[in-house]
Amino acid sequence: MSIKVLSIRLSTFMDLVRLIADIRKDRSVFISYKDFDGYIVGFYLPPQVKNTHGIFVYAVVDKQPNIIAYSPNDGGVEVFKEEYVESPLYVNIFTSRLEKPPHETVELEDVNIVKVDISDIKSLVHIAYSTSFEHLVIPFAWYLEDEKVFLINVEVPSSGDDDDTLLIFRYRCTDIDVDKPYIAYNPKDDKVGFYDAPKDISKKYILIVKVRKFFKI
């Protein structure tokens, strides 16, 4: 029996690197295997519903990575290197190469989906901070490029034998050009902007994870 996962395909390999470095930090490891389109590279997030074992987040690449060193802020600049870097500013991400995937992709079943629309981007930042993993310094939000919508999915614990519930916060931003990897809220002037790197400790940043294909909700 294989592992049953929901899957999220990201837009680029860099989106994947940013996300795993943000979540796993020094324990960052990809799994990779051959696919018809090239190579699948990804990692698992914890399950949010009972009938799955996790969420597989991945990107498709032409060449399997070996070691990726990533820093969100090295001298105010985001840096990506295909080598090991011995520095506390960098997260070194290793790759385990597999002959075949240990999982199969499934769809959501017997899950109550509650969708709530967010009124403004500032509220998106606040919700990301209030619902993210507690160990994350910088929370993240999915950005569905084709639909121009931000998503934050939150597990709602079920009681007894009730169906699982997944809470989805959505912010549609059709009038905004999302061309930077970070959103930041400045509480001093109550303004929100887009940035290349998180370099101002007085601001609240969230990582934008661009998505090519999200699991059906």
Side-chain angles (χ1 to χ4, degrees):
M1 183 183 72
S2 62
I3 300 170
K4 297 183 184 298
V5 299
L6 302 171
S7 65
I8 300 175
R9 179 176 176 177
L10 303 188
S11 298
T12 69
F13 181 58
M14 276 303 303
D15 287 293
L16 186 71
V17 169
R18 291 187 188 104
L19 183 60
I20 194 172
D22 186 42
I23 295 175
R24 298 283 173 80
K25 299 181 174 61
D26 291 338
R27 301 182 68 179
S28 296
V29 176
F30 290 134
I31 66 166
S32 179
Y33 54 89
K34 189 85 171 75
D35 185 71
F36 296 111
D37 296 327
Y39 294 95
I40 302 293
V41 182
F43 71 103
Y44 298 103
L45 291 176
Q48 291 193 305
V49 290
K50 287 184 293 189
N51 294 331
T52 64
H53 298 101
I55 299 174
F56 184 60
V57 185
Y58 71 97
V60 180
V61 298
D62 295 327
K63 177 184 175 183
Q64 284 179 305
N66 184 24
I67 300 173
I68 303 296
Y70 172 73
S71 174
N73 184 4
D74 185 354
V77 179
E78 179 185 57
V79 181
F80 169 95
K81 297 182 179 183
E82 296 186 35
E83 61 182 280
Y84 180 82
V85 176
E86 192 171 352
S87 167
L89 295 176
Y90 285 78
V91 173
N92 290 289
I93 307 164
F94 301 90
T95 300
S96 296
R97 301 181 180 185
L98 308 181
E99 291 295 327
K100 61 180 182 179
H103 63 259
E104 64 174 308
T105 299
V106 298
E107 298 295 340
L108 284 174
E109 294 181 358
D110 301 323
V111 176
N112 298 315
I113 306 294
V114 179
K115 300 176 183 178
V116 180
D117 289 325
I118 301 172
S119 299
D120 55 72
I121 198 166
K122 183 169 61 177
S123 298
L124 176 76
V125 176
H126 298 330
I127 289 173
Y129 269 85
S130 66
T131 60
S132 69
F133 301 117
E134 292 184 359
H135 69 279
L136 287 186
V137 177
I138 299 177
F140 68 90
W142 310 109
Y143 178 65
L144 281 57
E145 287 194 290
D146 288 346
E147 301 176 38
K148 294 189 175 181
V149 61
F150 284 97
L151 293 182
I152 298 174
N153 50 297
V154 182
E155 177 185 4
V156 179
S158 61
S159 58
D161 296 327
D162 294 340
D163 291 342
D164 284 354
T165 298
L166 193 61
L167 177 59
I168 305 289
F169 290 101
R170 301 182 301 189
Y171 175 65
R172 300 189 182 279
C173 53
T174 55
D175 58 338
I176 298 175
D177 185 16
V178 180
D179 58 354
K180 306 287 186 181
Y182 293 93
I183 302 172
Y185 168 66
N186 188 342
K188 294 180 180 179
D189 58 15
D190 198 36
K191 293 182 179 180
V192 176
F194 291 83
Y195 297 87
D196 289 311
K199 54 187 177 181
D200 185 346
I201 61 173
S202 67
K203 295 176 181 176
K204 297 174 66 174
Y205 291 88
I206 67 171
L207 173 63
I208 301 170
V209 183
K210 292 186 177 180
V211 175
R212 179 169 175 177
K213 184 179 180 181
F214 204 76
F215 59 83
K216 188 176 180 180
I217 55 175

